[in-house]
Every structure is written in C-alpha cells, then in structure tokens.
Amino acid sequence: QAQLMESGGGSVQAGESLRLTCVISRYRYGMNAVAWFRQAPGKDREGVASIRTGAGERVGVIPTAGDGRFYADSVKGRFTISQDNDKSTFSLQMDNLRPEDTASYYCAADPWFIPAYSGAWDDAQKYDYWGRGIQVTVSS
C-alpha cells in the first residue's frame, strides 16, 4: 500500500512563497499521475495542480497535452508542480500567495490514471492514494 507524506506547509504573509513536498513510499512502481488538492473550511475540495509522469504508460502511445501539467485557473502563473529527480518526490512551488490560498493541501496519486485523457485531471475519484494533508495559512 503506497504512502504519501506531505511537508512544507506553514503560515506566511500575502505575496510570500511556500514549497510543498509529497514523498511517495511503499510502492514499487511509479505513479502515473500525482496531484495536489486543497480544501478550505466550509468549501468543497478543489484540484490545484496535477502532473502526468508517464510512469504507468507505454512510451508514445497516448499523446501528451502540453507539458503534462495541469493547473486550476486560480493558481496559474503562481504555482508550479514538479517531479524531483528521485521520481518519488513531488513538489508544489507556491509563489505570490494570497489569503484565498489558505486551506489544507493534500497530495494524491494514482499508478494508472492519465490526467485529461482518461478523466478530468481534477477528478478526485481518479486518485487512489492520498496523503493526510498539510495546512497552509496566508494572512493579509
């Protein structure tokens, strides 16, 4: 059973940056899709960003849309999702944070899901594995 562990949350002022990290362990093979979701008190969970790694696909069979990364409109240009060289660590660089970014952030992953091809990248039901979440608080 894969385990996902988030780190890097905290409290910052508006305009500052944070970098969230998700380490995936206890899974022999790579995850094909890794995403970040967030949920603020009283609000629905929403997708923030997703990355398609190709780890669960045959190379070249299914074309990749863009660079294989997807973002919510509210974070485009401010957040960047990436995969580290060790292949099991994923990061969410969050710049120019706003008070409305305050939420609990969750890392999610799936070994077979192909974001934007086999379903909407922000469909939470497509991701089988989830971290426990980490708090991000942005004050004005």
Side-chain angles (χ1 to χ4, degrees):
Q1 184 81 353
Q3 287 191 345
L4 280 61
M5 179 69 72
E6 303 99 336
S7 63
S11 298
V12 296
Q13 298 287 320
E16 294 183 343
S17 299
L18 279 174
R19 186 178 183 88
L20 303 183
T21 298
C22 174
V23 177
I24 301 174
S25 61
R26 298 191 178 184
Y27 194 79
R28 180 181 298 181
Y29 308 106
M31 295 291 179
N32 201 63
V34 176
W36 289 91
F37 288 78
R38 68 185 180 187
Q39 188 166 20
K43 294 188 176 181
D44 294 334
R45 179 173 51 188
E46 63 173 346
V48 177
S50 179
I51 184 168
R52 173 185 173 185
T53 71
E57 303 175 44
R58 292 174 61 186
V59 177
V61 173
I62 298 173
T64 300
D67 63 358
R69 293 185 282 189
F70 309 89
Y71 298 94
D73 288 344
S74 59
V75 306
K76 280 181 181 176
R78 299 189 298 123
F79 290 12
T80 303
I81 189 170
S82 62
Q83 180 181 23
D84 291 3
N85 290 335
D86 67 2
K87 304 297 184 184
S88 62
T89 301
F90 294 81
S91 298
L92 183 69
Q93 177 67 37
M94 305 186 295
D95 297 322
N96 191 21
L97 282 160
R98 304 168 180 170
E100 53 264 39
D101 294 319
T102 296
S104 292
Y105 283 71
Y106 299 87
C107 180
D110 194 274
W112 304 116
F113 175 51
I114 305 174
Y117 179 80
S118 51
W121 68 266
D122 58 348
D123 182 351
Q125 295 184 356
K126 296 294 187 180
Y127 298 87
D128 271 351
Y129 300 102
W130 289 77
R132 293 185 175 182
I134 195 165
Q135 180 66 32
V136 171
T137 302
V138 185
S139 56
S140 58

